[in-house]
Structures are given as C-alpha cells and as structure tokens.
Amino acid sequence: MKITKVFGPPGTGKTTFLLNKVEEFLQEGIPPEDIGYFAFTRKASTEAKTRAIARFENLKEKQFSNFRTLHSLAYSRLGLSNGRMISSAQMKEFAEKVGMDNVYVNSGDESWELKTDNPVLNVINLARLKMVDLEKEYNASSLNIGWHSFLHIYNSYRKFLEKNTLLDFTDLLEQFSVCDEDIYPKFQVVIIDEAQDLSPLQWKVVSRLIKKSNKAYIAGDDDQAIFGWAGADVKSLLTYEGEHIILNQSHRIPRKIYTYADKIANRIKYRVPKEWNPRDDEGSLDIITNFRNLDFNDNWLVLAPSNYVLNEIHAYLKSMGILFERNHIRSISEKVVDAVDSWNRIMNYESVTASNVKSIYSYLNKDLIKRGFKKFEGQSDVRYTFDDLKKNHGLLSEKSSWIDALGKISDDQSIYIRSAIRKGQSLLGNPQVKLSTIHGSKGGEAENVLFFPDLSEKFCSLSFKDPDAMHRLHYVGVTRAKKSLNIMQPERYDRSFSI
C-alpha cells in the first residue's frame, strides 16, 4: 500500500495534477471503474469528472461513475432510494411536532441532501460529524437553550427518523463507516481531493476505502482549511501516514501578492511548511481608503469575512448601475432579466419560447393581459411571436418599451436595469463582479480582488481562541487575486485582520 499526500498551494493546479495521475493509471491499463476519485463537494467531483471526460474522449461518462462524493458512494453502496431520505416536508413536520421555529430547509449538495439553518439541529449534526460526545459539543456552542431541552429535541429527532424508517445526510456516513467490509468497493487507486475539508466521520470512511485499495493519493492544502467551524479536521490531513509532495508553481498568484500571502501563511503554527513559486508577473497590492475610486468594469471578486460587511458596496454598485452577484445570487434575478430580454425580442419581431412567455406574463401590467390568460400554458417545442400572443394567448399590449409593459417589475429594479443598460452592461451572461464571504469564495479566483479585513465580534473572539483558523481565513481571501489585490483600510485596526 502506497499513500501519497499532495499539498497544493493556491493556483498550483492540484486538480490538473490529479487528472494527470489518472491519465498515467489509464495508460498503465487500470480501468477507469477501478479508480475512485472523491471530492468534498458534488461541484468539485463533477468538475473533475467533466475534465476527465473531456480529456479522455475515447472513454464514456458512465466509466467515471466513481468520480463522486463520499456521501454519494455511501448512498449507492447501501442500496438506498430517495424515499429513505428525510424530505423537506418531513423535516418541517418534525419541527412542528417539537415546537421549533424558523426551520428553513433547502436542498444541499446532493438532490437528497437537506440543509437547515436551525442552530439546535446544526449542533447535533456537528457532534456527529466530529464524532464527539453530544454534551461536549453542546457545551462548546452558544445555544440559548437548556441541556435537557436540547437533549429532548435530539431524542425526538432520532425517534422520528426511526419511526418513519428515514435517514438524514449524516446517517449515510455513520452507517457506511461501520458496515461490513464487503460493502466497500475495492479500488486499485483511491484519490481524495480537498482533504483539508473532511470531517472525522469522513476520514473514517476514507481510511476504510484506502485500506482496500492498492494506492492512494490524498490531496489538499492545510493552509486553506477554513471549515473547522463546520467539523472539518485538518489535523487528520497533517498526521495521516504517507510520503508527501508539494506542488510548487502557482499559475494564479503574482509576486507582490505571493509575498504578502506567504507572510500570513508563516503565522500559522500548525502546518506543513511549503516552498512554492509565484507566477512570472509583478501584480499589484494596494491599501485603499475608498472603494469608490476603483473601476468595476472588469472581473472583480469582493470579499469579506462576514456577509454584513458587503452591504455598503452592495448599495454602491446598485446606485452605479453595475451588475453583480452576491453569494451566488444575481443582483437582478434571472426571471426579471428573462422577462426584459424576451419582451425586447418580441418587439423586434423575434420568436421566444414558452418559458420566455411565462417570464413576460409574470411582470405584465394587469390591463395588458386578458382574464384567464395570466397563467400561460404553452408548449415547450413551440416558439411564439408578438402577433401569436396577441391573437391566441390574451396579450392586449401594443408595441411598447419593456418599461411601460412590464409594470410589475419594481421601480427600484426598473431604475437599476435602465442604469445598467445606459452603462452598456449586458443583462445576459454572468456578471463580472461577484460579492462573497471568504468561506463562499473557496476555490474561486478573479483578476482583481477587493478585500475587506473588518472582523465581526464573533470572529474577533475566534482570533483569540484559534489564531490559526483566522490566519487561514485571511490567507484564502487574499490568494483569490490573479492580478491586483486591493485591501480596504479597516474601520478599526483592533477589529480586523492584520494588514
């Protein structure tokens, strides 16, 4: 058994390195089905699979079925179906039974994963991921609920799942981690990507997978381990047996930003020392006092440790008619964009799809649509023109601008759209400017980064309890920049990352 740990500093092409290894294994005659490639998120595993399929054109997608998440593998090997996984409706049913308020539930990484913002359920789940005593995790939390009430919710939740023969997302790994040996697949090669983000429970599964394989590659970067609050266990990456490789050439980070980032990394006490090189470009790094002097007509990533810090620049960008995304949500919704674009197209005698018409009708003035036609029931394989809609589908409007016709678009949105259009910005496509928390930006990059170092009271507290965690967060934020890094002067130096 040979185990190799691959440490990939920012922009050093960790995924490319791993796919090159996959290519070597295929050339050695190892079938793709005998290679297990596991990433922390479905997005990462899908990206690796997509890149592998594009590179190995003679192979079929189904042959890369083991490029997946650990949860997906557990789901498959345990022979489960969607009906066994707790649904959104069932989670809300449980919440009502125990009297929990504000249990917002949405889909997670997999179609059958649920995420909730309920702090009690999150602490329960965190204890399970970290494989620690429930009371210990409760005592470490800041929950405003007594222990006996907390324990009652936990016991009620487990009984609810058992009574309805349901499992939740963490149950998958808990059951898979202790199942019979023959349930685990035997791979010739196991590759674990983003290993710094794995929880102790996931490491338990990884260890069992590696034990049955001939060769293993564990890839990650301990300096970018920023999900400890969610149960990630960077110590397992650092202490796991095996030789290690450090990828030493960044294709992202220019020299000035590298020098700054390296100083941050060297403040981290518990780490693997790494020597790596920036790309051959000077780049720029500036401490600024006013972000309004920056030119946002380019590729920008605006980062802050906490979401509320982004509020001021959010308002500024809107006032300037600059389109952006904030935490992956567009500043103008896709439905509004579709309605405006589709209306303009039918005004130019073009045809649109039924989906486009539904968007238009959602925002049309009431007096421009006949009663009974509000809910457009079109055919997906048919295209519709302005004349079709007037003749057969209840449209009463004459030729007019979208501003006059789509009166249900709010005044605020309408003014913003017109301002963006005047600036020559395209409503279609992805905005060039993205606002994000540092945690939400993991894996991202941009030509230009605007970095807000201001820390919330919670993060200030964490900086004393776990300075390594804060240095890693700082490091991840500044290493998203490919060309220029602009650090906003903090409001208070005693409540910010050290700059």
Side-chain angles (χ1 to χ4, degrees):
M1 159 62 64
K2 181 181 179 183
I3 300 174
T4 304
K5 296 195 293 185
V6 181
F7 291 91
T12 53
K14 178 167 51 63
T15 301
T16 299
F17 174 88
L18 296 176
L19 289 179
N20 287 341
K21 285 296 174 184
V22 170
E23 186 170 11
E24 289 179 21
F25 301 141
L26 294 175
Q27 289 173 349
E28 291 171 8
I30 297 177
E33 296 88 347
D34 285 350
I35 301 172
Y37 190 116
F38 302 99
F40 179 65
T41 63
R42 186 181 183 187
K43 178 183 177 183
S45 63
T46 300
E47 179 188 355
K49 180 191 290 188
T50 301
R51 289 171 63 175
I53 292 167
R55 183 183 291 199
F56 312 117
E57 296 180 355
N58 59 319
L59 299 174
K60 297 179 180 178
E61 181 175 356
K62 65 181 181 180
Q63 292 178 275
F64 293 96
S65 60
N66 289 315
F67 280 52
R68 62 202 312 176
T69 62
L70 293 171
H71 284 91
S72 172
L73 177 69
Y75 180 86
S76 173
R77 300 300 291 190
L78 293 172
L80 299 173
S81 63
N82 281 7
R84 287 294 311 280
M85 304 303 296
I86 187 169
S87 68
S88 176
Q90 290 163 329
M91 181 67 84
K92 290 175 181 176
E93 178 189 345
F94 164 73
E96 289 178 6
K97 283 188 174 183
V98 296
M100 285 198 305
D101 297 325
N102 303 319
V103 180
Y104 173 76
V105 178
N106 67 336
S107 297
D109 204 34
E110 303 285 354
S111 60
W112 26 262
E113 178 194 2
L114 293 181
K115 289 185 176 181
T116 172
D117 64 352
N118 182 268
V120 174
L121 293 179
N122 286 340
V123 169
I124 290 170
N125 193 57
L126 193 57
R128 297 165 67 195
L129 290 172
K130 292 166 69 172
M131 300 175 66
V132 299
D133 179 74
L134 189 64
E135 188 169 5
K136 179 181 178 181
E137 192 61 37
Y138 164 82
N139 289 332
S141 74
S142 56
L143 287 177
N144 187 24
I145 180 176
W147 163 247
H148 292 293
S149 297
F150 176 84
L151 190 61
H152 169 70
I153 292 173
Y154 169 76
N155 289 329
S156 299
Y157 181 59
R158 298 315 305 174
K159 287 177 183 177
F160 179 84
L161 293 176
E162 183 179 354
K163 179 181 177 181
N164 294 283
T165 62
L166 295 170
L167 300 174
D168 67 15
F169 202 54
T170 305
D171 282 323
L172 291 176
L173 292 187
E174 286 183 331
Q175 293 197 9
F176 193 46
S177 70
V178 297
C179 69
D180 293 338
E181 192 73 21
D182 58 2
I183 298 295
Y184 276 75
K186 178 173 174 55
F187 295 111
Q188 291 196 49
V189 182
V190 166
I191 297 172
I192 308 296
D193 199 2
E194 300 294 347
Q196 78 279 348
D197 294 331
L198 300 180
S199 67
L201 182 57
Q202 288 171 312
W203 276 109
K204 186 176 179 181
V205 171
V206 164
S207 295
R208 294 194 68 184
L209 283 171
I210 290 176
K211 187 177 179 181
K212 288 191 71 172
S213 69
N214 299 331
K215 191 179 297 184
Y217 284 81
I218 302 173
D221 182 8
D222 54 298
D223 293 334
Q224 298 185 69
I226 61 173
F227 291 103
W229 58 273
D233 176 26
V234 68
K235 290 183 180 179
S236 289
L237 171 62
L238 294 170
T239 59
Y240 209 90
E241 65 179 70
E243 65 178 39
H244 69 253
I245 296 172
I246 295 173
L247 305 181
N248 61 9
Q249 181 59 58
S250 178
H251 306 286
R252 178 197 305 162
I253 311 298
R255 284 187 289 271
K256 282 191 175 180
I257 298 172
Y258 164 82
T259 301
Y260 181 74
D262 194 50
K263 289 178 182 177
I264 299 170
N266 286 324
R267 296 173 190 161
I268 302 170
K269 291 183 178 180
Y270 193 56
R271 69 188 289 259
V272 171
K274 305 170 189 68
E275 290 187 10
W276 55 284
N277 302 310
R279 65 184 178 88
D280 187 19
D281 187 78
E282 194 68 15
S284 65
L285 190 157
D286 295 292
I287 309 298
I288 63 171
T289 58
N290 190 347
F291 60 74
R292 293 166 181 81
N293 295 327
L294 298 174
D295 180 4
F296 288 100
N297 293 310
D298 198 354
N299 177 219
W300 281 89
L301 180 58
V302 182
L303 295 175
S306 302
N307 194 41
Y308 78 91
V309 179
L310 300 170
N311 290 344
E312 185 179 1
I313 190 166
H314 175 120
Y316 169 74
L317 292 173
K318 289 199 77 171
S319 72
M320 296 299 292
I322 298 170
L323 303 179
F324 60 94
E325 286 183 6
R326 180 171 178 177
N327 297 324
H328 310 292
I329 299 173
R330 294 170 61 111
S331 55
I332 302 174
S333 74
E334 291 186 15
K335 191 173 182 180
V336 169
V337 168
D338 187 41
V340 172
D341 179 64
S342 299
W343 182 263
N344 287 338
R345 283 156 59 195
I346 63 173
M347 290 299 98
N348 289 324
Y349 303 98
E350 297 178 34
S351 62
V352 296
T353 67
S355 176
N356 298 144
V357 178
K358 287 181 180 180
S359 295
I360 290 172
Y361 279 25
S362 295
Y363 295 99
L364 266 180
N365 293 326
K366 284 183 179 181
D367 59 346
L368 298 183
I369 187 77
K370 287 182 182 177
R371 182 174 295 181
F373 287 90
K374 175 65 177 173
K375 290 186 177 180
F376 180 75
E377 300 294 340
Q379 300 178 45
S380 59
D381 59 344
V382 174
R383 297 189 68 85
Y384 300 86
T385 65
F386 177 74
D387 290 338
D388 292 332
L389 297 176
K390 287 203 68 172
K391 184 177 180 181
N392 302 310
H393 300 284
L395 182 63
L396 298 175
S397 174
E398 298 301 325
K399 293 276 187 175
S400 64
S401 73
W402 67 267
I403 300 168
D404 295 326
L406 305 179
K408 289 188 178 180
I409 295 176
S410 69
D411 290 342
D412 176 62
Q413 285 271 281
S414 180
I415 292 169
Y416 179 38
I417 293 169
R418 281 180 277 168
S419 178
I421 292 172
R422 282 196 302 270
K423 283 185 173 290
Q425 300 217 342
S426 172
L427 300 182
L428 305 177
N430 295 320
Q432 284 276 79
V433 180
K434 293 179 170 59
L435 279 56
S436 176
T437 61
I438 301 171
H439 287 102
S441 72
K442 183 70 165 55
E445 61 181 23
E447 292 294 311
N448 312 287
V449 166
L450 170 59
F451 185 82
F452 287 86
D454 303 85
L455 298 176
S456 65
E457 186 175 340
K458 175 183 175 182
F459 277 128
C460 283
S461 175
L462 181 60
S463 68
F464 290 106
K465 292 180 182 177
D466 189 356
D468 276 5
M470 296 306 295
H471 296 324
R472 290 183 177 117
L473 191 64
H474 191 183
Y475 180 78
V476 167
V478 302
T479 56
R480 302 306 94 198
K482 297 170 65 177
K483 184 173 70 175
S484 75
L485 173 62
N486 302 269
I487 302 175
M488 188 69 187
Q489 184 174 297
E491 292 186 7
R492 288 176 50 178
Y493 279 91
D494 62 330
R495 293 190 57 169
S496 71
F497 288 123
S498 173
I499 61 171

